[in-house]
Amino acid sequence: MQEYRFQEIEQKWQAYWDAHKVFAAENDFSKPKFYALVEFPYPSGAGMHVGHIKAYSGLEVVSRKRRMQGYNVLFPIGFDAYGLPTENTAVKTGVHPRVVTDNNIKKFTQQLKRVGFSFDWSRVVDTTEEGYYKWTQWIFLKMFENGLVFRDKTSVNYCPSCKVVLSNEDSQGGKCDICHSDIVQKTKDVWYLRITQYADRLLQGLEKVDYLPNIKLQQENWIGKSTGAFVNFKIKEQDEQLRIYTTRPDTLYGVTFMVMAPEHPMIQKYRDSIANIAALDAYKEECAKKTEFERTQLVKDKTGVKIEGLTAVNPLTGKEIPIYISDYVMMGYGTGAIMAVPAHDTRDYDFAKKFGIDIIEVIKGGDISKEAYTGEGELVNSGELNGLTNKKDAIEKVLTVLERMGCGEAGVQYKMKDWAFNRQRYWGEPIPLVHCPHCGIVAVPYEELPLQLPPVENFEPGTDGESPLAKLDSFVNCTCPKCGGAAKRETDTMPQWAGSSWYFLRYCDPANDTCLADMDALKYWMPVDWYNGGMEHVTRHMIYSRFWHKFLYDIGAVPTDEPYAKRTAQGLILGPDGDKMSKSKGNVIDPNDVVDQYGADVLRMYVLFMGDYEKAAPWSDNSVKGCKRFADRIWAMQDLVIEGDTFRDVVKTAMHKTIRKVSEDIEHLKFNTAIAAMMALVNDLTATGAVTRAEYRTLLMLLNPFAPHMTEELFEMMGFGILNQQSWPEFDPALCVDDQVEIAVQVNGKLKCRMMIPNNAPQEEVLPAALAEAKVQEAIAGKTIRKQIYIPNKLVNIVAN
C-alpha cells in the first residue's frame, strides 16, 4: 500500500477539478436544477476562519450529492467587498481600498480552493466591480423612480470613530457594529428606502417558504406588526389634537398623563404659549447627547419636564391630563407621543410615582399601591367597558366607542422602520443622484451607469461626517441631466448591505452587461433552492434582500416573489475552552494550520462531525485526530479489497442501511450521524477481514461529499473511473428493515424493562412475552390486570390495580 500523501493528492485533484471545470453549472435548462447558496464572505485581511469552513461545508456536501443524483447544480461564491473595515485598513496603511480588496480576495480564493469546495469559480461576483455595481445603482434608480427613495432630516446614530451614520440595525446596544465604539446622536439629511411599504408582504411571504421556525420568528419580531388604535387627544389651550397609537385602547380610561418626544413639532409650533419653554429646550439639548439605546432603556432613572401651557383631554373621560416630555419617547417611533396608563405599565408607573401623577386602576387583579399590574382581569372604572374580562372583546368594544365619538380608529403599526440607506464614506457604491438648484433631485440617466467611484488619495472622512467624495470637486461638480445647468452630485455612498441584497440573482448570469440577469436564466435557476448561513443575518440581510427581490418582482425584473425557497443555519464553532473564538482570548483556530497538519479532507470531516450542525460546538484537537484516524482506515482498506461486484450477504443489510442513513442524514443536515454511520460500516467491513470491490466502491461514493480528495484518489487507484461522474448509491428498502426491534414494557405507564421482539410481531405473541418478564411479574404481583395495550414495534403497557 502506498503512503497517504494528502498534500500531493489534494493538490492533484484540485488542479483536475479546476482544469476540467467539473463544478461549473451548465446552461442546459432542460435538466433538473439545484441552486445552493451560501453567504458570500466579506474579504477581510485576516482571511478565512473555521466558521467559514463550517458555514460552507453543509451545502458543499449537499451539492456534491446532488450532482451525483443527476442535477445541474449551481453552487456559486463571490465577495461582499465594500464596507468600513477595508476603508479603515486603507486609512491606517495608506494602501488604496481597491488594492486592499483585490489582495484579500486573492487570499480568500486560494484558501477556499485549498479546502476543495466545489464552487463554480466561473461565476464569481465582486460587489465592488463596476460591472456589478452598475446594476446595484440600476436597482436603486428603479426604486427612486417608483417612489421608494426619499430624503429626510432626522436625528441619526453617528459613530465618531468611523465618522459615519449608522442605521438602528447597525448600532444595536448603542455601539457601532464595526468598531464597537459608543455612538452619538446627530441631526443629518438621510436617504431612506421605504421598506415599510413592504412590511405586510414580507410577513405574508414567510407562509410560502421553508425556513427554520426560529428564522421565521426572528423576522416576524423584526418587522414587529402590532394591531391597536390611533386615538386623538384634544389640546385644551389650542385648536389642536395630539395623536397617539396604542395596542391597549381598552385601558384608555386609565390614562392620567401623556408623554411627547422632546423633538415633537407641536412644541415648536406653540413655543410662544409654553411658559417653561427654556426648560424644555434645555432638556431637549441634553437628550440630543444620548443614543437611542440610552434613551429607551427600561432600567434607568425616569426624567422629564411637564409642559406648562399644553394640556390634553382624555377623549373618553373628559378629564384634563398633563403632558410631559421625556427621553424615552422617540419621534421615529409611532407618532412621537404616547398615552400613559401608570396602573398597568411598569415604566408609566415609575414615571407617575416620581412626578406625583394620579394612578387609576382599570384592570382588577393587582395591588397598584405597590406596583403596576400588567396581567389580565376584569375591567373596572372603565365606563361601558366595566365587567368585561376578555381583552379582545374589550378592545373591539372600545374601538366602536372611539369611532362613534370620532376620536379614534383601529390601526396597525410596525416596529421596523424605513431603511437608512447612505454612508459618509468612500468605499461604497456612489448614489446616482444629482442635486440641481432648479430641478431638485435628479437621477443619473441609466445609460450613464455605472456612476464610477473616482480614485482618491485621501480616504479620511470629514470631521463633520461628510463623505471624502465631498472634497473632490471633479466628482461633485456636474451638469443637471434635466436642464443642463450647473449641479452637484450626491456624495454619500450606499451601505454595505446594498450589494448583498441581490447577489444571488447575478450568479444566474454574472457577465451580462445588458440587464442584471437574463430572464430565461432567472426563470430556470430561481428561486434559490437552499440557502444556508449564520443566524446573525436572518433579519437585516435576509429582510433587506427579500424586500429588494419583491420590488424587482413588482417591476417585472425577476420571475419569483420570494428569493429563497429554504433557509437553514449553522451553529458557531467555539474555541477549545468553550467560549466564542476571539483573538483577545487566544482561542482562535486557523483552518490553514489544520490543512497543513492533517489535510483538507480531515478538516472538512471534522467540522461536520463535531456535533449537531445547527448548534454551537467547541473545537477539540483530539476529535480532529479521530477524524484523521478514520481517514487513515479508509485509505488502508484498499489492502483488504477482493474481487466481487455485489455486496456479500454478511454485510448486505449493513451496506443498504448505511446508504439510506447517509442519504437521509445529508438532507436533514445530520452530518455527524452520517459520518458515524460510515465509521460503523467500516468496523463491520473490516471485521470480516475483507471488502469486495462493490462494497469499497459504494463506501467511497458515500464518503466523497465529505472527503472528496482522498475518495477520488482511491476511486482512480482501484480502476473505478472518475468518482464525481458516478451516480449516487441507491438502497433497497426491504433490506433496511431490522429483523428484530426493541420495545418498551410499562406497567401503569411506568417503564419496567425493554425487550427484543421480531419485527412486526403480532399482539398474541408479544403480550404473553411481556407478561413473562421478571420485572413485570414483580410489578403486577397481587394485582388484577385490567387492560393490556400494544403499540406495534414500540411499547406494551399493562394496566393493573
Side-chain angles (χ1 to χ4, degrees), residues 83-296:
L84 288 176
T86 294
E87 185 168 337
N88 288 343
T89 299
V91 169
K92 285 178 190 173
T93 62
V95 180
H96 195 279
R98 174 77 270 161
V99 176
V100 173
T101 298
D102 289 344
N103 288 339
N104 291 348
I105 287 176
K106 186 177 178 183
K107 183 177 182 178
F108 257 76
T109 300
Q110 289 170 342
Q111 291 177 331
L112 287 166
K113 287 188 173 182
R114 194 176 176 215
V115 180
F117 287 119
S118 62
F119 293 127
D120 181 349
W121 290 100
S122 69
R123 294 177 184 251
V124 172
V125 300
D126 168 2
T127 57
T128 66
E129 285 185 347
E130 291 170 5
Y132 183 92
Y133 73 70
K134 168 184 178 178
W135 299 106
T136 308
Q137 292 174 334
W138 181 89
I139 296 169
F140 177 86
L141 285 185
K142 285 293 178 187
M143 287 187 165
F144 179 73
E145 196 178 290
N146 283 272
L148 290 177
V149 177
F150 70 99
R151 189 174 171 91
D152 194 15
K153 191 176 285 291
T154 186
S155 181
V156 297
N157 307 308
Y158 181 73
C159 175
S161 176
C162 292
K163 296 176 182 173
V164 67
V165 172
L166 298 169
S167 67
N168 289 341
E169 295 86 352
D170 291 332
S171 54
Q172 295 178 75
K175 301 282 185 183
C176 171
D177 250 15
I178 306 300
C179 69
H180 309 297
S181 300
D182 290 335
I183 61 149
V184 297
Q185 296 295 293
K186 195 179 183 79
T187 301
K188 194 159 180 61
D189 284 324
V190 173
W191 288 106
Y192 288 95
L193 300 187
R194 294 186 196 274
I195 190 172
T196 52
Q197 284 195 12
Y198 281 74
D200 270 326
R201 286 184 50 200
L202 288 167
L203 283 172
Q204 291 159 7
L206 294 174
E207 297 169 12
K208 308 174 192 173
V209 292
D210 179 15
Y211 293 177
L212 291 175
N214 190 28
I215 293 175
K216 283 189 178 183
L217 181 63
Q218 285 202 33
Q219 293 203 16
E220 287 166 359
N221 290 342
W222 189 271
I223 296 165
K225 181 177 182 178
S226 68
T227 55
F230 287 101
V231 184
N232 299 317
F233 286 71
K234 286 184 178 177
I235 301 299
K236 185 184 87 168
E237 297 86 352
Q238 306 289 342
D239 183 16
E240 183 73 78
Q241 293 184 328
L242 182 56
R243 188 168 173 82
I244 62 94
Y245 173 80
T246 176
T247 58
R248 294 299 304 268
D250 54 316
T251 63
L252 264 163
Y253 286 92
V255 176
T256 58
F257 68 100
M258 301 188 78
V259 185
M260 281 183 181
E263 303 84 4
H264 200 287
M266 194 179 285
I267 297 169
Q268 190 63 28
K269 185 175 180 181
Y270 298 112
R271 62 181 296 113
D272 292 343
S273 305
I274 298 171
N276 61 337
I277 191 66
L280 269 60
D281 287 344
Y283 185 81
K284 177 183 173 183
E285 202 173 305
E286 283 302 307
C287 291
K289 298 172 186 175
K290 298 179 183 178
T291 66
E292 183 175 328
F293 176 73
E294 289 170 330
R295 285 179 63 169
T296 56

Side-chain angles (χ1 to χ4, degrees), residues 275-328:
N276 61 337
I277 191 66
L280 269 60
D281 287 344
Y283 185 81
K284 177 183 173 183
E285 202 173 305
E286 283 302 307
C287 291
K289 298 172 186 175
K290 298 179 183 178
T291 66
E292 183 175 328
F293 176 73
E294 289 170 330
R295 285 179 63 169
T296 56
Q297 272 185 303
L298 282 172
V299 184
K300 69 181 183 74
D301 287 338
K302 302 298 177 284
T303 63
V305 181
K306 183 181 176 183
I307 303 175
E308 304 290 350
L310 294 179
T311 310
V313 178
N314 187 318
L316 297 189
T317 66
K319 288 182 180 178
E320 294 181 7
I321 52 177
I323 305 174
Y324 288 77
I325 61 168
S326 183
D327 59 359
Y328 71 87

Side-chain angles (χ1 to χ4, degrees), residues 383-397:
E384 55 191 288
L385 303 183
N386 281 340
L388 293 176
T389 56
N390 182 289
K391 182 172 79 171
K392 186 181 175 188
D393 293 342
I395 289 174
E396 284 179 8
K397 187 159 188 178

Side-chain angles (χ1 to χ4, degrees), residues 580-595:
K580 191 173 179 180
M581 288 190 186
S582 72
K583 288 180 182 176
S584 61
K585 291 179 182 173
N587 63 353
V588 175
I589 302 295
D590 186 340
N592 297 297
D593 295 340
V594 183
V595 174

Side-chain angles (χ1 to χ4, degrees), residues 592-648:
N592 297 297
D593 295 340
V594 183
V595 174
D596 288 341
Q597 189 171 357
Y598 300 110
D601 284 341
V602 170
L603 173 64
R604 292 167 60 110
M605 283 194 290
Y606 173 64
V607 297
L608 296 177
F609 184 62
M610 65 193 303
D612 186 331
Y613 185 72
E614 295 174 322
K615 293 178 181 172
W619 185 270
S620 166
D621 288 331
N622 285 335
S623 294
V624 177
K625 291 171 186 172
C627 287
K628 176 63 167 68
R629 286 192 294 272
F630 176 56
D632 290 339
R633 289 188 74 192
I634 296 289
W635 184 263
M637 283 178 75
Q638 62 185 285
D639 289 346
L640 301 178
V641 174
I642 59 173
E643 289 302 318
D645 56 4
T646 59
F647 300 158
R648 292 166 294 157

